[in-house]
Amino acid sequence: MSFFSKGAQRKDYVLAQLESQDLDLFSLIELLRSHNGQGTIKRGMKSVCMHPGLIIKSETTSSLIVDYLDDKFFIWFTGAPNPCVSLYKPFAFTLQNANQKYLQDLDTAIRFNHKWGVFSQKMIGNYNWFINNVKKERDEIEQEFILQIDKVIDNKNDKELSKLILELTNRAEEFRKKYVLCK
């Protein structure tokens, strides 16, 4: 790994965190949001959640986790940069999901990403406001999403799971609009 990319530091931090805690979806989400234990945004390449600095303009572009549940798996993804402020949303690869709004075509997917990128930029630009006014609700919504998926995963067919994921996606969109329009 390149000295300038700081990949070795990020890898060492992630491995130490993975070895020191019980792994569950919540802890993995928090790890991907990490600024290496600091409570504020850490600019530069050393942090798991990277933000551009004065010289280096790289940042985390998106984040995802693959959650294996028996013979099924879900993707939890931000669809936007800056996992530290982004909402992880569920997605399951099924034939039913082919009609989800943000996967209809490339232009729709790009618009989806852009809308969540605007949300992310707004939250990063007002990080203290995000911490005080948005973070708690974002975390509660993610927990709600995870619990709903966990509760129904074994009892639903692909069509019913797809319907639930669409409902959760709509809930995520309501959350995004609420905060993009309010400050």
Side-chain angles (χ1 to χ4, degrees), residues 38-165:
Q38 296 185 3
T40 60
I41 292 173
K42 184 174 182 176
R43 305 230 177 247
M45 303 293 287
K46 291 182 184 177
S47 179
V48 176
C49 180
M50 294 185 299
H51 296 268
L54 293 173
I55 298 171
I56 307 287
K57 299 300 179 195
S58 296
E59 69 179 342
T60 303
T61 56
S62 190
S63 182
L64 69 85
I65 297 169
V66 179
D67 188 16
Y68 293 95
L69 302 166
D70 297 322
D71 64 337
K72 296 179 175 76
F73 64 94
F74 281 83
I75 306 295
W76 295 91
F77 73 106
T78 61
N82 312 117
C84 62
V85 297
S86 294
L87 174 70
Y88 280 83
K89 298 164 278 301
F91 180 80
F93 286 102
T94 69
L95 292 176
Q96 300 296 326
N97 277 349
N99 294 324
Q100 286 211 6
K101 349 183 220 195
Y102 52 87
L103 290 180
Q104 291 173 353
D105 55 54
L106 183 58
D107 289 337
T108 304
I110 289 170
R111 283 193 304 277
F112 176 85
N113 176 264
H114 176 74
K115 288 191 284 188
W116 281 97
V118 169
F119 171 86
S120 176
Q121 289 173 351
K122 185 170 184 177
M123 298 303 113
I124 292 298
N126 299 286
Y127 192 69
N128 288 333
W129 182 82
F130 164 78
I131 294 296
N132 295 324
N133 298 289
V134 182
K135 182 182 181 302
K136 181 179 181 214
E137 182 179 355
R138 183 219 44 206
D139 293 349
E140 289 170 354
I141 290 170
E142 283 175 348
Q143 288 180 359
E144 171 193 331
F145 287 3
I146 292 167
L147 291 174
Q148 285 190 32
I149 294 292
D150 285 349
K151 189 179 350 176
V152 302
I153 186 66
D154 292 328
N155 303 324
K156 301 286 182 180
N157 61 37
D158 284 351
K159 187 174 183 176
E160 291 168 322
L161 279 172
S162 183
K163 182 180 176 190
L164 174 61
I165 290 171

Side-chain angles (χ1 to χ4, degrees), residues 1-28:
M1 285 182 233
S2 159
F3 169 79
F4 295 104
S5 73
K6 305 297 183 201
Q9 286 95 332
R10 287 193 308 277
K11 180 190 81 164
D12 291 345
Y13 178 81
V14 167
L15 289 176
Q17 295 303 307
L18 292 174
E19 292 170 357
S20 70
Q21 58 185 297
D22 292 332
L23 294 179
D24 62 16
L25 188 54
F26 297 112
S27 63
L28 291 173

